[in-house]
Amino acid sequence: MQDTAEAFLESIVPSAASAIYNYHQEAAEQAIEGLFTQQAIRRVSIRNDTEEVASSERDLEPTLPAFGPLSGSDEVLLARDLINPEATDGEKIGEILVIVDRSIVPPAIVRRMVSYFLFATVKNLIFGLALVALVYAALARYIVQIAEAAGRWRPGSGAIDVPEPPNFLKDTEIEVLGKRIEEMSGSAAFAIQTLEHSSLEVRKSNTELNEKSTQLSEAVKARTSELNAANRALKRQADRDALTGLLNRRAFDRQATRFMENACKKSLPVALIMIDIDCFKAYNDHYGHQAGDDCLKRIATSLNTLAGDDAAIVARYGGEEFICLIPGGGRNDGNELATRIHEAIRELAISHDRSGVSDMVTASIGLSWETCKPTIDLEALVSAADEALYEAKHNGRNRTVTSSKNIRERVRKRREIVGDLLAAVERREFEPYFQSQVDARSGRIVGMETLARWRRPDGTVVGPPDFMPTAEENDLVRLIDGIMFEKCAMFLRNAADRGIHLPGLSLNLSEDHLKDDALIERLKELRSCGKTPISVELLETTTLDDPSAELNWTLDKIRDLGIGIEIDDFGTGRTSIFSLMTLRPDRLKIARELVLPAHEGDLNRQLLSCVLEIAKSLEIDVIAEGVETPEQRDILLGLGCDIHQGFLYSRPISANNQMALLKQEQERKRAS
């Protein structure tokens, strides 16, 4: 269509160019009419260089039917230049534009096309059906062959032997399918073979695993049993004292609380006793810690037996202290058990010659009891028993004391004293007082004994009987001795600075202080404070019959410093004649308990005479303490004892007063 329109257009161009050149409108329109004789032309436009000269457009119905996106016109623009017919140089004077719709087909052509299409369609359909029938038959046979080969396949028969396809199916998808089936069957056969082998291995492994699982289960069961036993043992160890095997404090508190809760539900009484081994520190120091451990174990065994008889619980509460709770037991039950405990410990007959209470190990017991009620708890019961135990020890040990309101008040006051003593040590409120030692024949002061006094913040001066027992019970004596040493050193330096001669100074030493590592250094410092002769007095509580190697070493060091050794309160303490022979002190002081009754009879004077004879035979100097009357003085002088100490000559006085007394004597001596 387009080619026809283009050829027709070329024939119209000269007449269109002539119409423009001659300005012949009708000629231009006739040219357009001539073009419209072609059925496919939709629009024609003739233009000169500046404007449109003539144009025309018509509506055309498409010859071919519309099929969706194929419907509508297929327009093509044809453009030709118009050349000046008079010019020879090809001058362009305009152009003609033609729009061709290629969907406009002449009816003859349409008829030929339809005939051709129908013939071609029928021919192709017949040929296609024949071809499909042939291919389908061959393809079906080949597929059946593949299916039969697959049907004969068994897991152990290897790969499927797929037949070759017909030539026309070579290199097609069906041939590829056959090869894939062959390959897949081979892979499946190999996989099945591998799987069967693996299955055998798995069954074998499962058998072995079952055997090992059984063994492991038995081992786990045995190990679990061992662990449970170990856990029970650990729990028992956690609740038991390692030395005695009794309950420890934590386990006792837990069980006792539970017992008390049950007793409270039934409003039953409970009794609690606390047991403390008397003078156990001295036992350990003398016999050794191994012996101390054996002593505790033997006592623990006895307590455990007694507690079992009374359905009580017993524990080691700490150190040498034991505790026992009697659920449902009142005061009488507690006292009966305490009595049996005393008897059981006595029957053990454990030697203790350092006790100060008995030659055998004894115990002090504190008892408390209450009828359970919500306001009573274990802590209150333990506190009450502890206070009663404190009272038992204070009253001489080896006894049972039952808690009461009066006892609690006394214990409270004593504990207040302990608190005050601790504060006094912290504030260094202890100071030396001095009592002169006098030559009774000449009246001269020949020495001074240092005595501890506690000056309270209110100015009250407290003597040793009022605080020293409490200090001993709470291990404060060594600290007090240290303060006294320091203040005595100050006293000696002050006297040296003032030019006052001190004839001699003695200080008391407790047995604990003799074990103090700092003692020798303190004595060295004291010795360096001047030329005053220094001596130490071993208290009557010091054990000298069988001194330890440590004590002997300390005494030798004291002698090496040029410091004298004196025995205090001879005749009432632990010092025997044998210890005098072993120790050979420089001086002994006859106890005031022997001096005071000297005038009451010949027997008392004979006793004093014997002591003086023993000292003379051992070449030991003697001082008589507690001389308070002229009659006592005269008796002592008659027996040959010239050095006296007591109220007859001087009471203990402060450092300043003692300094003034010595200065007066020194001035009198100069004046005479």
Side-chain angles (χ1 to χ4, degrees):
M1 297 298 179
Q2 185 177 342
D3 292 342
T4 303
E6 286 182 350
F8 189 69
L9 175 63
E10 293 295 335
S11 66
I12 296 299
V13 166
S15 59
S18 174
I20 292 175
Y21 179 76
N22 294 310
Y23 298 98
H24 197 291
Q25 180 72 27
E26 291 180 1
E29 291 175 355
Q30 289 176 359
I32 292 173
E33 288 294 330
L35 285 172
F36 276 163
T37 60
Q38 293 292 320
Q39 293 180 345
I41 294 176
R42 181 182 295 278
R43 188 176 188 281
V44 179
S45 175
I46 299 175
R47 299 176 59 85
N48 59 21
D49 288 338
T50 58
E51 61 182 4
E52 191 174 68
V53 175
S55 66
S56 182
E57 182 176 0
R58 62 181 178 181
D59 294 329
L60 298 176
E61 292 294 331
T63 304
L64 298 176
F67 295 103
L70 300 177
S71 66
S73 63
D74 181 10
E75 295 180 346
V76 177
L77 175 63
L78 303 177
R80 294 292 184 272
D81 292 336
L82 301 179
I83 306 302
N84 187 351
E86 300 293 332
T88 60
D89 55 357
E91 176 189 2
K92 180 181 178 182
I93 59 174
E95 63 180 348
I96 183 169
L97 303 175
V98 178
I99 294 177
V100 179
D101 188 343
R102 291 187 297 184
S103 65
I104 306 301
V105 182
I109 294 175
V110 171
R111 286 193 297 272
R112 288 197 299 271
M113 288 176 62
V114 170
S115 299
Y116 177 79
F117 175 76
L118 291 174
F119 176 75
T121 300
V122 170
K123 182 183 69 174
N124 290 336
L125 181 61
I126 294 171
F127 179 76
L129 290 173
L131 182 62
V132 167
L134 292 174
V135 171
Y136 176 77
L139 181 62
R141 282 197 304 273
Y142 184 64
I143 291 175
V144 168
Q145 290 173 355
I146 293 175
E148 289 174 349
R152 291 191 299 270
W153 182 82
R154 295 293 182 269
S157 61
I160 297 174
D161 187 11
V162 178
E164 291 290 328
N167 290 332
F168 68 90
L169 291 178
K170 292 282 188 179
D171 300 325
T172 62
E173 286 80 358
I174 194 65
E175 183 183 24
V176 173
L177 175 63
K179 290 180 179 179
R180 292 290 181 269
I181 291 174
E182 192 173 21
E183 292 173 357
M184 289 174 61
S185 63
S187 299
F190 178 76
I192 290 171
Q193 184 180 2
T194 303
L195 184 61
E196 288 177 347
H197 178 73
S198 299
S199 177
L200 291 174
E201 293 293 327
V202 168
R203 284 197 294 270
K204 182 179 178 182
S205 298
N206 284 340
T207 302
E208 294 176 354
L209 285 174
N210 288 335
E211 293 175 356
K212 291 182 178 179
S213 177
T214 302
Q215 296 173 359
L216 181 60
S217 178
E218 293 175 354
V220 168
K221 185 177 180 181
R223 185 58 177 163
T224 301
S225 178
E226 292 175 3
L227 289 175
N228 289 336
N231 285 335
R232 288 192 296 271
L234 285 174
K235 187 177 184 302
R236 186 177 185 279
Q237 290 176 5
D239 289 345
R240 296 286 170 173
D241 174 60
L243 177 65
T244 63
L246 297 178
L247 292 176
N248 56 29
R249 183 169 184 167
R250 181 182 60 183
F252 174 83
D253 288 345
R254 186 173 62 250
Q255 289 194 24
T257 299
R258 187 170 65 252
F259 278 37
M260 288 184 64
E261 288 174 354
N262 293 334
C264 287
K265 292 177 182 178
K266 302 175 183 179
S267 298
L268 297 176
V270 288
L272 186 140
I273 59 177
M274 297 193 73
I275 307 106
D276 186 86
I277 310 304
D278 293 329
C279 306
F280 189 71
K281 183 176 182 298
Y283 186 94
N284 257 339
D285 291 344
H286 180 69
Y287 294 101
H289 290 286
Q290 183 60 51
D293 289 348
D294 291 341
C295 174
L296 290 174
K297 287 191 284 188
R298 292 177 66 185
I299 291 174
T301 301
S302 295
L303 292 177
N304 200 32
T305 301
L306 293 172
D309 294 341
D310 282 29
I313 56 173
V314 64
R316 185 183 180 193
Y317 216 56
E320 69 273 18
E321 197 169 68
F322 299 89
I323 191 167
C324 184
L325 180 77
I326 311 173
R331 177 172 182 171
N332 292 336
D333 298 309
N335 277 318
E336 288 177 7
L337 180 57
T339 300
R340 283 188 281 130
I341 289 173
H342 282 299
E343 293 173 353
I345 293 176
R346 186 165 55 250
E347 289 174 0
L348 291 175
I350 303 173
S351 298
H352 189 0
D353 57 3
R354 296 296 189 272
S355 170
V357 180
S358 168
D359 57 355
M360 297 294 176
V361 167
T362 58
S364 298
I365 297 177
L367 167 65
S368 63
W369 69 279
E370 286 285 353
T371 298
C372 270
K373 50 189 175 182
T375 57
I376 299 298
D377 59 11
L378 179 63
E379 185 177 353
L381 207 60
V382 170
S383 178
D386 186 52
E387 290 170 346
L389 174 62
Y390 190 84
E391 181 75 6
K393 291 192 289 186
H394 183 77
N395 290 345
R397 304 177 187 272
N398 192 24
R399 65 194 65 220
T400 298
V401 172
T402 302
S403 176
S404 67
K405 183 177 180 180
N406 292 336
I407 288 174
R408 288 195 290 271
E409 182 63 23
R410 287 198 298 271
V411 170
R412 184 189 64 80
K413 289 181 178 179
R414 280 199 294 273
R415 286 180 172 168
E416 285 181 358
I417 293 175
V418 172
D420 292 344
L421 277 175
L422 290 170
V425 170
E426 183 72 21
R427 294 192 294 263
R428 310 181 71 76
E429 292 175 356
F430 298 94
E431 61 182 55
Y433 266 51
F434 302 92
Q435 187 172 29
S436 298
Q437 297 166 344
V438 179
D439 184 339
R441 297 191 185 279
S442 64
R444 291 185 301 105
I445 298 176
V446 297
M448 300 172 293
E449 179 183 2
T450 306
L451 302 169
R453 293 292 185 270
W454 174 16
R455 187 178 295 277
R456 288 179 173 271
D458 61 1
T460 305
V461 177
V462 181
D466 294 328
F467 68 83
M468 196 57 74
T470 304
E472 289 175 353
E473 290 174 0
N474 294 275
D475 296 326
L476 297 176
V477 174
R478 189 181 304 185
L479 297 175
I480 294 172
D481 286 349
I483 296 171
M484 294 295 294
F485 267 66
E486 292 176 11
K487 293 193 174 182
C488 281
M490 293 173 57
F491 176 75
L492 292 175
R493 284 193 289 268
N494 190 19
D497 292 342
R498 296 173 60 179
I500 297 175
H501 172 68
L502 301 180
L505 183 70
S506 63
L507 299 96
N508 294 306
L509 281 184
S510 64
E511 188 168 2
D512 282 345
H513 202 176
L514 285 168
K515 299 174 184 177
D516 192 345
D517 295 336
L519 173 62
I520 300 303
E521 292 302 319
R522 287 173 177 168
L523 289 172
K524 285 181 181 179
E525 181 181 358
L526 201 64
R527 194 74 183 83
S528 66
C529 291
K531 298 181 179 180
T532 302
I534 305 295
S535 60
V536 293
E537 297 184 16
L538 305 183
L539 298 180
E540 71 278 7
T541 55
T542 305
T543 302
L544 297 173
D545 283 352
D546 185 17
S548 64
E550 180 185 7
L551 180 58
N552 283 329
W553 181 88
T554 301
L555 294 176
D556 289 341
K557 285 292 184 181
I558 292 173
R559 287 192 180 94
D560 292 343
L561 293 174
I563 295 175
I565 296 176
E566 301 179 0
I567 303 298
D568 192 22
D569 289 332
F570 183 78
T572 61
R574 299 178 183 175
T575 308
S576 64
I577 297 174
F578 174 77
S579 63
L580 289 179
M581 295 174 64
T582 303
L583 184 62
R584 291 299 179 98
D586 299 292
R587 182 182 293 174
L588 62 83
K589 302 178 73 172
I590 302 175
R592 65 192 302 273
E593 286 80 3
L594 299 180
V595 172
L596 289 177
H599 62 284
E600 296 177 358
D602 293 338
L603 183 60
N604 294 328
R605 285 193 291 273
Q606 289 175 7
L607 181 58
L608 281 174
S609 178
C610 290
V611 172
L612 291 168
E613 286 296 326
I614 290 171
K616 183 178 180 181
S617 63
L618 295 175
E619 297 180 349
I620 300 173
D621 293 337
V622 177
I623 296 179
E625 291 186 295
V627 182
E628 298 181 358
T629 65
E631 187 175 6
Q632 294 166 351
R633 176 194 60 195
D634 294 340
I635 292 172
L636 289 167
L637 287 174
L639 294 174
C641 179
D642 298 339
I643 309 301
H644 300 171
Q645 179 181 336
F647 290 170
L648 178 62
Y649 303 98
S650 173
R651 289 180 175 273
I653 56 178
S654 66
N656 290 334
N657 291 338
Q658 184 68 24
M659 197 81 74
L661 180 63
L662 291 171
K663 186 175 182 180
Q664 290 175 6
E665 181 173 290
Q666 190 170 322
E667 289 175 352
R668 283 197 305 270
K669 185 176 179 180
R670 290 174 182 171
S672 61

